[in-house]
Amino acid sequence: MPQTPLLLIEDTPSLQMVYRSVLTNAGHAVRTAGTAAEGLAAFLETGSSVILLDLMLPDRDGLDLMREMLALRPEVNVIVITANGSINKAVEAMRAGAHEFLVKPFDETRFLGAVDNALAGRSGPRRAPPPAPRPVVTPAALLPETGAFVGSSAAMSRIHAKIRSVARSMATVFITGESGTGKELCALAVHDNSARAGGPFIALNCGAIPQDLLESEVFGHVKGSFTGAISDKPGAAAAADGGTLFLDEICEMAPALQTKLLRFLQTSTVQPVGATRPRKVNVRIVCATNQDPLDAVRRGQFREDLYYRLYVVPIHMPPLRERDDDVIEIAEAALARFAAEEGRRFDGLSPEVTALFRRLPWPGNVRQLLNVIRHVVVMNEGGPVTPDMLPDIVADEGGFTPPPATLAPLTQEPALDTLVGRPLAEIERIVIEATLARFDGSVPKAARVLEIAPSTLYRKLDGWKG
């Protein structure tokens, strides 16, 4: 008996091609549609039991289409896919009958797992039994942003081992690292390798939401609790019930909300704004920051008791400049992926570009590298990647030099008698600035001479600018 195909409704051709390829490689028959009208026609024709539906369609709202499909055949399992990661959309889709909700980008294993669950008729948020030990699910990905976990350096091997170890526990994970190092991907890997992998993964950026709305986003609100609250709204904590709540930029959270978060961690209950009764939820917390959290505690920006409550298992994501030849592996993987998406053929990195990539400090980390490779693919037809194909700021190595500290670097090295009698912190700054001046502002070169990590030097420079 022929296999009933999955129905994929996605209007972006490149993503439709990627999703279809992943599904067919996994042994699934797939029927595709690019509009709501085409999708509805295919739905009526094929009798598919599992629908993969993008909410943003050119001719109709995806949620309306889903409601019509479920009205015609209530037994259908719909997996909603969207780049809109708002809690409102997630909850609205689940209330309307969605079987599962995936927010782009997501990795291949998570994608196929959702399909398998839907085919088996299992509910997405239902808790699964503890999984057997397996490799960390990270390198295989549907979207290039997950390139942050491509690489075989010793630093990343340690990260993978730590994720495998902590994922099987209920311990709170605190991820630190510079912007662009892949902190959210690390959190997702912890979730995907845990017993909660079948449950929701809800990410909330505490620094991107206005402080007066943050409490509502985390804990929700009831209709009429404040001006503009026209309906009940569950927060991120309730939406993550049975799964993982990822709080990014946790050190940006307002002090008043930190108090409520601490109570939530102690009681596992949430009380929406304006509600009279709390609700019990089962949520694992993973948080992240690009700051030094202990320094935020010393400055009074972050509660000390909350810090000790959250800082149970720390994972530090290393910057790209400390990952050895991962920069080349990531660049080559991204080049192959982007070239396939754009329908072009490239023959890898030239030796000149490979050498340049190895010596650049990459202050924007993996995110910056991916943007550079995307630029190369979009602006060139193919062939080997040569220095003239790179953006000007990359081709000119000086484009990566960090801005000077508040005090101008010394033009000559300090004599010993000029240092005697000064505070040690001031002496340290004078020596560092003089070393940077000697090497024309090159942080990696200065760090090698001073025998410290480049990331340490960047943090000191950032601190002096503040």
Side-chain angles (χ1 to χ4, degrees):
M1 183 175 179
Q3 179 185 358
T4 303
L6 306 174
L7 175 57
L8 169 64
I9 306 174
E10 165 63 62
D11 67 317
T12 304
S14 59
L15 291 180
Q16 186 185 108
M17 178 183 68
V18 171
Y19 297 156
R20 178 169 188 161
S21 174
V22 169
L23 292 167
T24 53
N25 288 341
H28 298 293
V30 184
R31 173 77 176 268
T32 60
T35 65
E38 292 174 2
L40 183 59
F43 172 78
L44 296 172
E45 177 184 335
T46 62
S48 300
S49 62
V50 175
I51 316 296
L52 298 110
L53 174 65
D54 188 345
L55 291 185
M56 302 298 292
L57 297 172
D59 56 336
R60 187 178 178 187
D61 181 73
L63 280 179
D64 288 342
L65 175 61
M66 183 185 75
R67 292 186 181 100
E68 181 173 350
M69 289 177 169
L70 290 174
L72 292 169
R73 287 170 45 208
E75 73 280 5
V76 167
N77 286 328
V78 180
I79 301 172
V80 169
I81 301 173
T82 182
N84 181 358
S86 73
I87 304 304
N88 281 345
K89 275 289 184 184
V91 174
E92 187 178 358
M94 298 302 285
R95 283 179 171 174
H99 183 267
E100 194 157 347
F101 186 95
L102 297 178
V103 180
K104 304 172 187 177
F106 42 81
D107 66 41
E108 183 174 319
T109 301
R110 182 170 171 78
F111 181 54
L112 293 176
V115 172
D116 290 342
N117 285 344
L119 286 169
R122 294 193 297 267
S123 173
R126 190 177 300 162
R127 294 187 61 184
R134 64 187 190 274
V136 173
V137 178
T138 47
L142 296 183
L143 294 179
E145 285 76 7
T146 54
F149 271 175
V150 173
S152 54
S153 66
M156 290 309 295
S157 295
R158 289 191 292 270
I159 294 296
H160 290 166
K162 202 162 192 178
I163 290 172
R164 276 193 295 269
S165 178
V166 71
R168 295 189 292 270
S169 77
M170 272 296 294
T172 301
V173 179
F174 202 122
I175 306 168
T176 57
E178 298 174 11
S179 294
T181 51
K183 295 187 290 296
E184 183 168 349
L185 292 171
C186 179
L188 187 56
V190 170
H191 172 79
D192 284 341
N193 286 270
S194 73
R196 296 170 171 264
F201 176 86
I202 302 297
L204 194 67
N205 189 325
C206 300
I209 300 172
Q211 295 290 2
D212 56 341
L213 297 179
L214 192 53
E215 181 178 0
S216 172
E217 289 293 331
V218 177
F219 299 117
H221 64 251
V222 298
K223 180 179 179 180
S225 56
F226 55 84
T227 303
I230 59 175
S231 63
D232 290 353
K233 174 183 177 179
D241 193 10
T244 302
L245 175 61
F246 175 54
L247 298 174
D248 199 7
E249 302 305 339
I250 186 71
C251 290
E252 302 293 327
M253 184 174 282
L257 191 55
Q258 291 179 32
T259 303
K260 296 188 177 184
L261 177 61
L262 182 62
R263 178 171 175 77
F264 166 61
L265 294 172
Q266 292 168 339
T267 64
S268 296
T269 60
V270 295
Q271 185 162 351
V273 178
T276 56
R277 294 182 180 179
R279 170 192 168 187
K280 197 85 170 177
V281 294
N282 179 12
V283 173
R284 182 185 190 171
I285 299 291
V286 178
C287 55
T289 182
N290 60 10
Q291 301 182 36
D292 179 346
L294 192 54
D295 185 55
V297 171
R298 294 191 189 103
R299 297 196 313 267
Q301 180 183 349
F302 199 63
R303 287 181 62 114
E304 185 174 13
D305 49 1
L306 182 58
Y307 167 79
Y308 287 116
R309 185 83 186 193
L310 293 172
Y311 204 80
V312 178
V313 180
I315 296 180
H316 180 71
M317 295 299 298
L320 186 56
R321 57 187 172 274
E322 294 180 6
R323 290 176 55 180
D324 302 325
D325 268 1
D326 282 1
V327 62
I328 306 303
E329 291 186 44
I330 296 169
E332 290 175 342
L335 181 65
R337 181 61 54 85
F338 293 153
E341 290 180 4
E342 300 293 338
R344 297 180 182 179
R345 183 180 180 86
F346 285 83
D347 301 322
L349 309 178
S350 69
E352 296 83 3
V353 169
T354 298
L356 176 61
F357 279 9
R358 284 192 176 113
R359 68 175 180 263
L360 290 174
W362 299 105
N365 294 296
V366 176
R367 184 181 296 122
Q368 182 182 18
L369 174 60
L370 294 176
N371 287 341
V372 168
I373 299 300
R374 173 68 80 178
H375 173 96
V376 168
V377 172
V378 170
M379 300 302 295
N380 298 276
E381 293 301 321
V385 178
T386 55
D388 60 291
M389 294 181 179
L390 303 176
D392 292 341
I393 194 172
V394 178
D396 176 10
E397 186 177 357
F400 281 101
T401 302
T406 305
L407 299 181
L410 301 179
T411 55
Q412 58 184 7
E413 297 187 24
L416 180 60
D417 58 358
T418 65
L419 302 179
V420 175
R422 298 193 183 202
L424 186 59
E426 185 178 341
I427 294 173
E428 178 189 56
R429 179 170 180 171
I430 290 172
V431 172
I432 287 175
E433 290 179 340
T435 307
L436 282 168
R438 170 186 278 194
F439 294 105
D440 299 322
S442 172
V443 170
K445 292 177 182 177
R448 282 195 293 271
V449 170
L450 295 168
E451 296 185 355
I452 61 176
S455 58
T456 301
L457 200 46
Y458 277 110
R459 282 196 294 271
K460 288 183 180 295
L461 291 172
D462 287 341
W464 293 336
K465 283 184 286 184

